[in-house]
Amino acid sequence: FGALLEQDPEIAELLVSELDRQRSGLQLIASENQTSPAVLAALGSTLSNKYAEGYPDARYYGGCSEVDKVEKLAIERAKALFGADHANVQPHSGASANQAVYGAFASPGDTVLAMSLDHGGHLTHGFKVSFSGKWFNAVHYGVHPETEDIDYDQVEALAKEHRPKIILAGGSAIPRLIDFERFRAIADEVGAIFWVDAAHFIGLVAGKAIPSPVPWADVVSFTTHKVLRGPRGGAIVCKEEHAKKIDRAVFPMMQGGPLMHGVAGKAVNFAECATPAYQDYARQVVENAAVLAQSLGEKGIRPITGGTDTHLSLHDLRGVGVTGIDAEARCDAAGIVLNKNAIPFDPEKPNVASGIRVGSPSVTTQGMGTEEMRVIADLIHRAVTETDGTPDHPVAVEIRAQVTELMTAHPAYPEPAQA
Ligand code: PLP
Protein backbone atom coordinates (compact mmCIF):
# COMPACT_ATOMS: atom_id res chain seq x y z
CA PHE A 1 0.00 0.00 0.00
CA GLY A 2 2.97 2.30 0.67
CA ALA A 3 3.93 2.13 -3.04
CA LEU A 4 0.40 3.04 -4.11
CA LEU A 5 0.22 5.91 -1.67
CA GLU A 6 3.49 7.34 -2.97
CA GLN A 7 2.68 6.89 -6.66
CA ASP A 8 -1.03 7.63 -6.75
CA PRO A 9 -2.29 9.26 -3.56
CA GLU A 10 -5.61 10.12 -5.23
CA ILE A 11 -6.55 6.44 -5.67
CA ALA A 12 -4.86 5.39 -2.39
CA GLU A 13 -6.98 7.86 -0.46
CA LEU A 14 -10.14 6.56 -2.12
CA LEU A 15 -9.24 2.99 -1.09
CA VAL A 16 -8.87 4.21 2.47
CA SER A 17 -12.12 6.17 2.41
CA GLU A 18 -13.95 3.11 1.05
CA LEU A 19 -12.51 1.03 3.91
CA ASP A 20 -13.71 3.76 6.30
CA ARG A 21 -17.15 3.61 4.69
CA GLN A 22 -17.32 -0.17 5.12
CA ARG A 23 -16.18 0.23 8.71
CA SER A 24 -18.57 2.98 9.69
CA GLY A 25 -21.99 1.92 8.39
CA LEU A 26 -24.11 -1.19 8.85
CA GLN A 27 -23.73 -3.19 5.62
CA LEU A 28 -27.01 -5.03 5.06
CA ILE A 29 -26.88 -5.56 1.30
CA ALA A 30 -27.66 -9.26 0.99
CA SER A 31 -25.14 -9.86 -1.81
CA GLU A 32 -22.18 -8.24 -0.05
CA ASN A 33 -19.72 -9.45 2.55
CA GLN A 34 -16.25 -8.79 3.97
CA THR A 35 -13.74 -11.18 2.49
CA SER A 36 -10.73 -12.18 4.57
CA PRO A 37 -7.32 -10.43 4.55
CA ALA A 38 -5.90 -13.71 3.16
CA VAL A 39 -8.23 -13.56 0.15
CA LEU A 40 -7.41 -9.86 -0.32
CA ALA A 41 -3.70 -10.75 -0.31
CA ALA A 42 -4.24 -13.31 -3.09
CA LEU A 43 -6.21 -10.73 -5.10
CA GLY A 44 -3.41 -8.19 -4.78
CA SER A 45 -0.73 -10.63 -5.99
CA THR A 46 1.47 -10.91 -9.10
CA LEU A 47 -0.74 -13.74 -10.33
CA SER A 48 -2.63 -10.89 -11.98
CA ASN A 49 0.31 -10.64 -14.45
CA LYS A 50 -0.02 -14.14 -15.82
CA TYR A 51 -1.79 -15.23 -18.98
CA ALA A 52 -3.11 -18.77 -18.64
CA GLU A 53 -5.65 -19.36 -21.41
CA GLY A 54 -6.71 -23.00 -21.29
CA TYR A 55 -6.76 -25.33 -18.30
CA PRO A 56 -4.04 -26.82 -16.02
CA ASP A 57 -1.52 -28.87 -18.05
CA ALA A 58 -3.19 -27.74 -21.29
CA ARG A 59 -2.44 -24.02 -21.63
CA TYR A 60 -1.89 -21.79 -24.64
CA TYR A 61 0.99 -19.98 -22.87
CA GLY A 62 4.33 -20.93 -21.36
CA GLY A 63 5.28 -20.19 -17.78
CA CYS A 64 2.13 -21.65 -16.25
CA SER A 65 3.81 -24.04 -13.78
CA GLU A 66 2.78 -22.09 -10.68
CA VAL A 67 -0.67 -20.98 -11.78
CA ASP A 68 -1.41 -24.58 -12.80
CA LYS A 69 -0.81 -25.62 -9.19
CA VAL A 70 -3.06 -22.80 -7.96
CA GLU A 71 -5.92 -23.69 -10.29
CA LYS A 72 -5.65 -27.43 -9.50
CA LEU A 73 -5.92 -26.61 -5.79
CA ALA A 74 -8.94 -24.37 -6.39
CA ILE A 75 -10.66 -27.09 -8.46
CA GLU A 76 -9.94 -29.87 -5.94
CA ARG A 77 -11.07 -27.72 -3.02
CA ALA A 78 -14.30 -26.75 -4.80
CA LYS A 79 -15.08 -30.36 -5.68
CA ALA A 80 -14.46 -31.50 -2.10
CA LEU A 81 -16.42 -28.62 -0.57
CA PHE A 82 -19.53 -29.22 -2.69
CA GLY A 83 -19.20 -32.96 -3.27
CA ALA A 84 -19.17 -32.23 -7.01
CA ASP A 85 -17.86 -34.35 -9.89
CA HIS A 86 -16.38 -31.36 -11.68
CA ALA A 87 -15.57 -27.71 -11.01
CA ASN A 88 -14.67 -24.79 -13.25
CA VAL A 89 -13.21 -21.90 -11.26
CA GLN A 90 -12.49 -19.53 -14.16
CA PRO A 91 -15.71 -17.49 -14.63
CA HIS A 92 -14.93 -13.83 -14.03
CA SER A 93 -18.30 -13.20 -12.38
CA GLY A 94 -21.73 -14.64 -11.78
CA ALA A 95 -22.98 -13.26 -15.09
CA SER A 96 -19.99 -14.82 -16.93
CA ALA A 97 -20.66 -18.17 -15.26
CA ASN A 98 -24.29 -17.97 -16.37
CA GLN A 99 -23.28 -17.05 -19.93
CA ALA A 100 -21.17 -20.21 -20.02
CA VAL A 101 -24.04 -22.39 -18.81
CA TYR A 102 -26.26 -21.05 -21.61
CA GLY A 103 -23.38 -21.60 -24.02
CA ALA A 104 -22.98 -25.21 -22.91
CA PHE A 105 -26.61 -26.26 -23.13
CA ALA A 106 -28.56 -23.92 -25.41
CA SER A 107 -28.40 -22.26 -28.82
CA PRO A 108 -29.86 -18.88 -29.71
CA GLY A 109 -33.63 -19.12 -29.94
CA ASP A 110 -33.94 -22.05 -27.53
CA THR A 111 -36.48 -21.88 -24.71
CA VAL A 112 -35.39 -21.42 -21.12
CA LEU A 113 -37.75 -21.51 -18.13
CA ALA A 114 -36.63 -19.32 -15.21
CA MET A 115 -37.92 -17.19 -12.34
CA SER A 116 -39.06 -13.72 -13.37
CA LEU A 117 -36.92 -10.82 -12.22
CA ASP A 118 -39.81 -9.01 -10.56
CA HIS A 119 -40.56 -12.09 -8.41
CA GLY A 120 -36.93 -12.58 -7.32
CA GLY A 121 -34.98 -13.91 -10.34
CA HIS A 122 -31.93 -12.28 -11.93
CA LEU A 123 -31.21 -10.19 -15.02
CA THR A 124 -29.28 -13.09 -16.57
CA HIS A 125 -32.32 -15.35 -16.23
CA GLY A 126 -33.89 -14.12 -19.46
CA PHE A 127 -34.67 -10.52 -18.60
CA LYS A 128 -35.24 -8.59 -21.83
CA VAL A 129 -32.33 -6.11 -21.52
CA SER A 130 -29.81 -8.91 -20.83
CA PHE A 131 -28.12 -11.13 -23.45
CA SER A 132 -30.17 -13.95 -21.97
CA GLY A 133 -33.46 -12.28 -22.84
CA LYS A 134 -32.24 -11.12 -26.24
CA TRP A 135 -30.78 -14.42 -27.43
CA PHE A 136 -33.11 -16.98 -25.84
CA ASN A 137 -36.84 -17.47 -25.66
CA ALA A 138 -37.28 -16.92 -21.94
CA VAL A 139 -40.47 -18.10 -20.27
CA HIS A 140 -40.91 -17.04 -16.66
CA TYR A 141 -42.54 -18.51 -13.57
CA GLY A 142 -43.17 -16.57 -10.39
CA VAL A 143 -44.37 -16.88 -6.83
CA HIS A 144 -47.86 -17.87 -5.70
CA PRO A 145 -49.91 -14.81 -4.63
CA GLU A 146 -50.87 -16.41 -1.32
CA THR A 147 -47.68 -18.14 -0.16
CA GLU A 148 -45.36 -15.65 -1.94
CA ASP A 149 -43.07 -18.64 -2.45
CA ILE A 150 -42.22 -20.29 -5.80
CA ASP A 151 -45.35 -21.56 -7.53
CA TYR A 152 -44.18 -25.11 -8.35
CA ASP A 153 -47.45 -26.02 -10.05
CA GLN A 154 -46.93 -23.10 -12.40
CA VAL A 155 -43.34 -24.25 -13.06
CA GLU A 156 -44.64 -27.70 -14.00
CA ALA A 157 -47.46 -26.36 -16.19
CA LEU A 158 -45.12 -23.98 -18.06
CA ALA A 159 -42.52 -26.73 -18.49
CA LYS A 160 -45.11 -29.04 -20.05
CA GLU A 161 -46.45 -26.28 -22.27
CA HIS A 162 -43.10 -24.87 -23.52
CA ARG A 163 -40.76 -27.93 -23.31
CA PRO A 164 -37.72 -25.76 -22.39
CA LYS A 165 -34.12 -26.83 -23.06
CA ILE A 166 -33.16 -25.57 -19.60
CA ILE A 167 -35.07 -25.11 -16.35
CA LEU A 168 -33.37 -22.62 -14.07
CA ALA A 169 -33.90 -22.23 -10.32
CA GLY A 170 -32.42 -19.52 -8.13
CA GLY A 171 -32.43 -15.74 -7.98
CA SER A 172 -31.52 -12.60 -6.11
CA ALA A 173 -34.43 -12.10 -3.76
CA ILE A 174 -35.69 -15.54 -2.75
CA PRO A 175 -35.91 -15.81 1.05
CA ARG A 176 -37.03 -19.45 1.19
CA LEU A 177 -35.37 -22.80 0.52
CA ILE A 178 -35.90 -24.07 -3.02
CA ASP A 179 -37.39 -27.53 -3.52
CA PHE A 180 -34.64 -28.94 -5.76
CA GLU A 181 -36.20 -32.40 -5.79
CA ARG A 182 -39.42 -31.01 -7.28
CA PHE A 183 -37.50 -29.05 -9.91
CA ARG A 184 -35.49 -32.19 -10.80
CA ALA A 185 -38.70 -34.18 -11.25
CA ILE A 186 -40.20 -31.47 -13.50
CA ALA A 187 -36.99 -31.25 -15.58
CA ASP A 188 -36.94 -35.04 -15.98
CA GLU A 189 -40.57 -35.04 -17.03
CA VAL A 190 -39.86 -32.73 -19.98
CA GLY A 191 -36.27 -33.77 -20.71
CA ALA A 192 -34.74 -30.42 -19.69
CA ILE A 193 -31.35 -29.63 -18.16
CA PHE A 194 -31.84 -28.62 -14.52
CA TRP A 195 -29.62 -25.65 -13.69
CA VAL A 196 -29.40 -23.94 -10.29
CA ASP A 197 -27.99 -20.42 -10.06
CA ALA A 198 -26.90 -20.61 -6.42
CA ALA A 199 -25.08 -17.23 -6.43
CA HIS A 200 -26.96 -15.98 -3.42
CA PHE A 201 -27.04 -18.95 -1.12
CA ILE A 202 -24.03 -21.11 -2.06
CA GLY A 203 -22.19 -19.89 1.06
CA LEU A 204 -24.92 -21.42 3.22
CA VAL A 205 -24.54 -24.68 1.29
CA ALA A 206 -20.75 -24.57 1.77
CA GLY A 207 -21.30 -24.05 5.50
CA LYS A 208 -23.82 -26.92 5.62
CA ALA A 209 -26.51 -24.57 6.95
CA ILE A 210 -29.03 -25.41 4.20
CA PRO A 211 -29.51 -28.32 1.74
CA SER A 212 -27.32 -28.50 -1.35
CA PRO A 213 -28.55 -28.33 -4.95
CA VAL A 214 -25.46 -30.24 -6.17
CA PRO A 215 -26.91 -33.78 -5.91
CA TRP A 216 -30.04 -32.71 -7.82
CA ALA A 217 -28.90 -30.31 -10.52
CA ASP A 218 -27.07 -31.01 -13.77
CA VAL A 219 -25.16 -27.81 -13.22
CA VAL A 220 -24.81 -25.24 -10.44
CA SER A 221 -23.39 -21.77 -11.13
CA PHE A 222 -22.53 -19.28 -8.42
CA THR A 223 -20.69 -16.13 -7.43
CA THR A 224 -17.87 -16.40 -4.94
CA HIS A 225 -18.30 -13.02 -3.24
CA LYS A 226 -21.71 -13.12 -1.55
CA VAL A 227 -22.47 -15.25 1.55
CA LEU A 228 -19.56 -17.48 0.46
CA ARG A 229 -17.23 -14.57 1.39
CA GLY A 230 -14.56 -15.14 -1.24
CA PRO A 231 -13.14 -12.86 -3.94
CA ARG A 232 -15.42 -11.22 -6.51
CA GLY A 233 -15.90 -13.89 -9.17
CA GLY A 234 -17.86 -16.88 -10.38
CA ALA A 235 -17.62 -20.66 -10.54
CA ILE A 236 -19.54 -23.65 -11.88
CA VAL A 237 -19.85 -27.21 -10.59
CA CYS A 238 -21.51 -29.96 -12.59
CA LYS A 239 -21.97 -33.67 -13.18
CA GLU A 240 -19.09 -35.47 -14.88
CA GLU A 241 -21.09 -35.98 -18.09
CA HIS A 242 -21.27 -32.19 -18.59
CA ALA A 243 -17.66 -31.40 -17.60
CA LYS A 244 -16.22 -30.99 -21.10
CA LYS A 245 -19.16 -28.93 -22.34
CA ILE A 246 -18.90 -26.55 -19.38
CA ASP A 247 -15.12 -26.15 -19.70
CA ARG A 248 -15.37 -25.41 -23.42
CA ALA A 249 -18.19 -22.94 -22.81
CA VAL A 250 -16.17 -20.99 -20.21
CA PHE A 251 -13.03 -21.00 -22.40
CA PRO A 252 -12.79 -20.43 -25.34
CA MET A 253 -16.49 -19.80 -25.95
CA MET A 254 -17.14 -16.97 -23.47
CA GLN A 255 -13.85 -15.89 -21.92
CA GLY A 256 -10.17 -15.44 -22.69
CA GLY A 257 -7.46 -15.65 -20.03
CA PRO A 258 -8.63 -16.45 -16.50
CA LEU A 259 -7.99 -13.95 -13.70
CA MET A 260 -5.43 -16.09 -11.88
CA HIS A 261 -5.25 -13.79 -8.84
CA GLY A 262 -9.00 -14.32 -8.51
CA VAL A 263 -8.60 -18.08 -8.93
CA ALA A 264 -6.03 -18.01 -6.08
CA GLY A 265 -8.48 -16.02 -3.96
CA LYS A 266 -11.17 -18.63 -4.68
CA ALA A 267 -8.81 -21.42 -3.58
CA VAL A 268 -8.09 -19.59 -0.32
CA ASN A 269 -11.79 -19.05 0.27
CA PHE A 270 -12.75 -22.68 -0.46
CA ALA A 271 -10.26 -23.80 2.20
CA GLU A 272 -11.74 -21.30 4.67
CA CYS A 273 -15.22 -22.68 3.94
CA ALA A 274 -14.17 -26.18 4.99
CA THR A 275 -13.50 -25.13 8.60
CA PRO A 276 -15.80 -25.51 11.63
CA ALA A 277 -15.57 -21.73 12.18
CA TYR A 278 -17.09 -21.19 8.73
CA GLN A 279 -19.95 -23.58 9.50
CA ASP A 280 -20.65 -21.64 12.70
CA TYR A 281 -20.71 -18.44 10.64
CA ALA A 282 -23.11 -19.94 8.07
CA ARG A 283 -25.52 -21.13 10.78
CA GLN A 284 -25.37 -17.72 12.46
CA VAL A 285 -26.10 -15.97 9.14
CA VAL A 286 -29.36 -17.93 8.90
CA GLU A 287 -30.30 -17.39 12.55
CA ASN A 288 -29.54 -13.66 12.31
CA ALA A 289 -31.56 -13.25 9.10
CA ALA A 290 -34.54 -14.99 10.71
CA VAL A 291 -34.46 -12.74 13.78
CA LEU A 292 -33.97 -9.61 11.70
CA ALA A 293 -36.92 -10.55 9.46
CA GLN A 294 -39.16 -11.37 12.41
CA SER A 295 -38.23 -8.23 14.35
CA LEU A 296 -38.93 -5.98 11.36
CA GLY A 297 -42.24 -7.82 10.90
CA GLU A 298 -43.21 -7.11 14.52
CA LYS A 299 -42.72 -3.41 13.73
CA GLY A 300 -45.08 -3.48 10.75
CA ILE A 301 -42.41 -4.00 8.06
CA ARG A 302 -43.80 -7.31 6.82
CA PRO A 303 -41.44 -10.03 5.58
CA ILE A 304 -42.53 -11.51 2.23
CA THR A 305 -43.42 -15.23 2.77
CA GLY A 306 -43.61 -14.46 6.51
CA GLY A 307 -39.87 -14.83 7.15
CA THR A 308 -36.74 -16.42 5.75
CA ASP A 309 -34.76 -19.69 5.72
CA THR A 310 -31.66 -18.07 4.24
CA HIS A 311 -29.45 -15.01 4.59
CA LEU A 312 -31.93 -12.48 3.25
CA SER A 313 -35.44 -11.23 3.73
CA LEU A 314 -37.62 -9.10 1.53
CA HIS A 315 -39.96 -6.64 3.23
CA ASP A 316 -43.19 -4.97 2.19
CA LEU A 317 -43.12 -1.32 3.29
CA ARG A 318 -46.72 -0.54 2.42
CA GLY A 319 -47.76 -1.14 6.04
CA VAL A 320 -45.67 1.87 7.11
CA GLY A 321 -46.57 3.91 4.02
CA VAL A 322 -43.02 4.45 2.73
CA THR A 323 -41.63 3.51 -0.71
CA GLY A 324 -38.49 1.46 -1.24
CA ILE A 325 -36.59 4.36 -2.76
CA ASP A 326 -37.36 6.61 0.23
CA ALA A 327 -36.57 3.85 2.75
CA GLU A 328 -33.18 3.23 1.11
CA ALA A 329 -32.32 6.95 1.17
CA ARG A 330 -33.48 7.38 4.78
CA CYS A 331 -31.48 4.37 5.96
CA ASP A 332 -28.43 5.55 4.01
CA ALA A 333 -28.53 8.94 5.72
CA ALA A 334 -28.73 7.13 9.07
CA GLY A 335 -25.66 4.94 8.41
CA ILE A 336 -27.55 1.80 7.34
CA VAL A 337 -26.78 0.47 3.85
CA LEU A 338 -29.50 -1.66 2.26
CA ASN A 339 -31.36 -1.67 -1.04
CA LYS A 340 -34.85 -0.96 -2.26
CA ASN A 341 -36.38 -4.02 -3.91
CA ALA A 342 -39.50 -4.80 -5.86
CA ILE A 343 -41.82 -7.17 -4.03
CA PRO A 344 -43.93 -9.75 -5.87
CA PHE A 345 -46.93 -8.09 -7.59
CA ASP A 346 -45.42 -4.68 -6.76
CA PRO A 347 -47.73 -1.79 -7.74
CA GLU A 348 -44.72 0.59 -7.92
CA LYS A 349 -42.18 0.86 -10.74
CA PRO A 350 -38.92 -1.07 -10.06
CA ASN A 351 -36.95 2.16 -9.54
CA VAL A 352 -39.40 3.20 -6.79
CA ALA A 353 -40.40 -0.24 -5.41
CA SER A 354 -42.54 -1.09 -2.38
CA GLY A 355 -39.89 -3.10 -0.58
CA ILE A 356 -36.43 -3.38 0.85
CA ARG A 357 -34.09 -6.37 0.91
CA VAL A 358 -31.94 -6.93 3.97
CA GLY A 359 -29.17 -9.47 4.42
CA SER A 360 -27.18 -10.70 7.40
CA PRO A 361 -23.83 -11.89 5.89
CA SER A 362 -21.67 -8.80 6.55
CA VAL A 363 -22.85 -8.09 10.06
CA THR A 364 -22.49 -11.79 10.91
CA THR A 365 -18.92 -11.76 9.61
CA GLN A 366 -18.36 -8.91 12.08
CA GLY A 367 -19.50 -11.21 14.88
CA MET A 368 -22.95 -9.79 15.52
CA GLY A 369 -25.66 -12.11 16.82
CA THR A 370 -29.42 -12.17 17.36
CA GLU A 371 -29.35 -9.51 20.08
CA GLU A 372 -27.76 -7.05 17.65
CA MET A 373 -30.31 -8.03 14.97
CA ARG A 374 -33.14 -6.85 17.22
CA VAL A 375 -31.34 -3.53 17.71
CA ILE A 376 -30.74 -3.23 13.95
CA ALA A 377 -34.43 -3.90 13.20
CA ASP A 378 -35.34 -1.09 15.57
CA LEU A 379 -32.85 1.27 13.92
CA ILE A 380 -34.16 0.42 10.42
CA HIS A 381 -37.74 0.97 11.55
CA ARG A 382 -36.88 4.32 13.08
CA ALA A 383 -34.87 5.43 10.06
CA VAL A 384 -37.70 4.45 7.70
CA THR A 385 -40.56 5.96 9.71
CA GLU A 386 -39.06 8.87 11.66
CA THR A 387 -36.46 10.48 9.36
CA ASP A 388 -36.61 12.35 6.04
CA GLY A 389 -33.45 11.26 4.21
CA THR A 390 -31.33 14.23 5.31
CA PRO A 391 -28.21 13.37 7.31
CA ASP A 392 -28.74 16.17 9.82
CA HIS A 393 -32.24 15.11 10.83
CA PRO A 394 -31.98 14.70 14.64
CA VAL A 395 -33.25 11.11 14.56
CA ALA A 396 -30.78 10.22 11.78
CA VAL A 397 -27.99 11.68 13.92
CA GLU A 398 -29.17 9.62 16.89
CA ILE A 399 -29.35 6.42 14.80
CA ARG A 400 -25.86 7.00 13.38
CA ALA A 401 -24.52 7.24 16.93
CA GLN A 402 -26.07 3.84 17.71
CA VAL A 403 -24.69 2.41 14.48
CA THR A 404 -21.24 3.62 15.53
CA GLU A 405 -21.68 1.86 18.88
CA LEU A 406 -22.52 -1.42 17.11
CA MET A 407 -19.65 -1.04 14.64
CA THR A 408 -17.21 -0.28 17.45
CA ALA A 409 -18.25 -3.33 19.44
CA HIS A 410 -18.11 -5.52 16.29
CA PRO A 411 -15.65 -3.88 13.91
CA ALA A 412 -15.30 -4.63 10.21
CA TYR A 413 -11.65 -5.39 9.42
CA PRO A 414 -10.43 -4.85 12.99
CA GLU A 415 -6.95 -3.36 13.27
CA PRO A 416 -4.43 -6.13 14.00
CA ALA A 417 -3.38 -6.08 17.67
CA GLN A 418 -0.05 -4.31 18.13
CA ALA A 419 2.75 -6.47 19.52
N1 PLP B 1 -26.96 -14.69 -10.38
C1 PLP B 1 -27.57 -14.22 -9.29
C2 PLP B 1 -28.67 -15.03 -8.68
C3 PLP B 1 -27.17 -13.02 -8.71
O1 PLP B 1 -27.80 -12.57 -7.63
C4 PLP B 1 -26.10 -12.30 -9.31
C5 PLP B 1 -25.63 -11.02 -8.75
O2 PLP B 1 -26.25 -10.28 -8.11
C6 PLP B 1 -25.52 -12.81 -10.46
C7 PLP B 1 -25.96 -14.00 -10.98
C8 PLP B 1 -24.47 -12.05 -11.21
O3 PLP B 1 -23.27 -11.99 -10.55
P1 PLP B 1 -22.17 -10.89 -10.96
O4 PLP B 1 -22.67 -9.58 -10.45
O5 PLP B 1 -20.93 -11.39 -10.30
O6 PLP B 1 -22.07 -10.91 -12.45
Side-chain angles (χ1 to χ4, degrees):
F1 186 77
L4 178 63
L5 190 59
E6 199 171 311
Q7 182 180 317
D8 194 337
E10 210 176 352
I11 288 292
E13 279 161 23
L14 287 171
L15 299 195
V16 172
S17 57
E18 171 58 14
L19 175 59
D20 283 347
R21 190 197 66 78
Q22 291 186 23
R23 279 176 166 163
S24 58
L26 282 169
Q27 309 300 326
L28 298 175
I29 293 189
S31 49
E32 292 184 1
N33 213 327
Q34 293 150 18
T35 197
S36 70
V39 169
L40 290 176
L43 285 175
S45 69
T46 54
L47 268 64
S48 170
N49 297 339
K50 190 68 199 96
Y51 246 112
E53 279 180 359
Y55 289 99
D57 300 327
R59 303 285 189 187
Y60 289 82
Y61 285 83
C64 288
S65 59
E66 305 317 297
V67 291
D68 271 10
K69 290 175 202 159
V70 169
E71 186 165 348
K72 282 180 190 171
L73 276 171
I75 290 169
E76 287 315 311
R77 289 175 185 180
K79 282 166 63 179
L81 184 64
F82 298 112
D85 296 347
H86 181 73
N88 187 306
V89 295
Q90 291 193 6
H92 301 330
S93 67
S96 310
N98 288 355
Q99 232 172 23
V101 177
Y102 284 105
F105 298 111
S107 301
D110 280 349
T111 300
V112 177
L113 177 59
M115 183 126 171
S116 72
L117 182 66
D118 51 352
H119 284 202
H122 187 257
L123 283 169
T124 57
H125 298 186
F127 193 61
K128 54 186 181 302
V129 298
S130 143
F131 73 93
S132 57
K134 289 185 190 293
W135 298 344
F136 301 99
N137 172 37
V139 177
H140 287 120
Y141 58 87
V143 300
H144 191 279
E146 274 157 34
T147 62
E148 299 179 315
D149 197 8
I150 296 169
D151 185 343
Y152 292 93
D153 292 338
Q154 186 194 26
V155 177
E156 186 170 8
L158 289 172
K160 284 182 177 159
E161 184 185 342
H162 296 279
R163 316 292 296 184
K165 259 279 180 46
I166 298 175
I167 298 180
L168 171 51
S172 302
I174 304 174
R176 294 298 183 179
L177 298 180
I178 297 171
D179 186 344
F180 304 124
E181 189 173 358
R182 180 88 195 265
F183 267 106
R184 173 81 262 169
I186 297 169
D188 285 344
E189 225 181 321
V190 299
I193 288 287
F194 175 33
W195 165 20
V196 176
D197 178 351
H200 256 271
F201 58 83
I202 195 73
L204 302 177
V205 173
K208 302 193 188 320
I210 64 168
S212 172
V214 174
W216 301 104
D218 290 286
V219 58
V220 177
S221 62
F222 55 92
T223 53
T224 46
H225 48 268
K226 298 190 173 87
V227 185
L228 194 68
R229 211 166 57 186
R232 185 159 295 278
I236 300 171
V237 294
C238 67
K239 303 268 185 255
E240 188 57 45
E241 61 185 295
H242 305 308
K244 282 205 176 73
K245 265 190 181 172
I246 287 292
D247 283 355
R248 275 193 227 113
V250 173
F251 172 85
M253 191 178 191
M254 298 297 178
Q255 292 187 177
L259 312 177
M260 290 313 302
H261 54 306
V263 171
K266 290 170 195 174
V268 172
N269 168 243
F270 295 147
E272 291 172 349
C273 293
T275 61
Y278 185 87
Q279 293 179 10
D280 290 345
Y281 148 80
R283 270 194 298 272
Q284 192 65 50
V285 166
V286 174
E287 210 179 312
N288 282 351
V291 171
L292 191 50
Q294 189 195 346
S295 307
L296 282 168
E298 284 163 5
K299 293 175 188 305
I301 302 182
R302 186 182 75 86
I304 298 296
T305 77
T308 176
D309 305 317
T310 63
H311 61 297
L312 70 83
S313 54
L314 193 59
H315 292 265
D316 180 352
L317 294 164
R318 289 173 299 176
V320 290
V322 179
T323 60
I325 193 171
D326 285 344
E328 181 185 300
R330 290 175 190 186
C331 286
D332 204 40
I336 302 168
V337 185
L338 47 72
N339 62 283
K340 66 176 179 294
N341 215 103
I343 56 172
F345 312 104
D346 202 323
E348 298 287 354
K349 291 196 194 103
N351 57 355
V352 175
S354 300
I356 49 171
R357 188 184 67 163
V358 294
S360 61
S362 275
V363 288
T364 307
T365 293
Q366 288 170 235
M368 295 191 204
T370 51
E371 202 180 305
E372 286 78 21
M373 296 308 119
R374 291 190 187 93
V375 175
I376 291 173
D378 187 48
L379 297 181
I380 293 173
H381 178 254
R382 292 196 65 200
V384 169
T385 59
E386 295 175 33
T387 72
D388 60 5
T390 56
D392 45 9
H393 187 287
V395 178
V397 173
E398 208 182 291
I399 294 170
R400 280 206 307 280
Q402 280 181 270
V403 167
T404 302
E405 252 175 60
L406 280 169
M407 296 298 283
T408 307
H410 301 278
Y413 293 109
E415 301 283 356
Q418 296 296 314

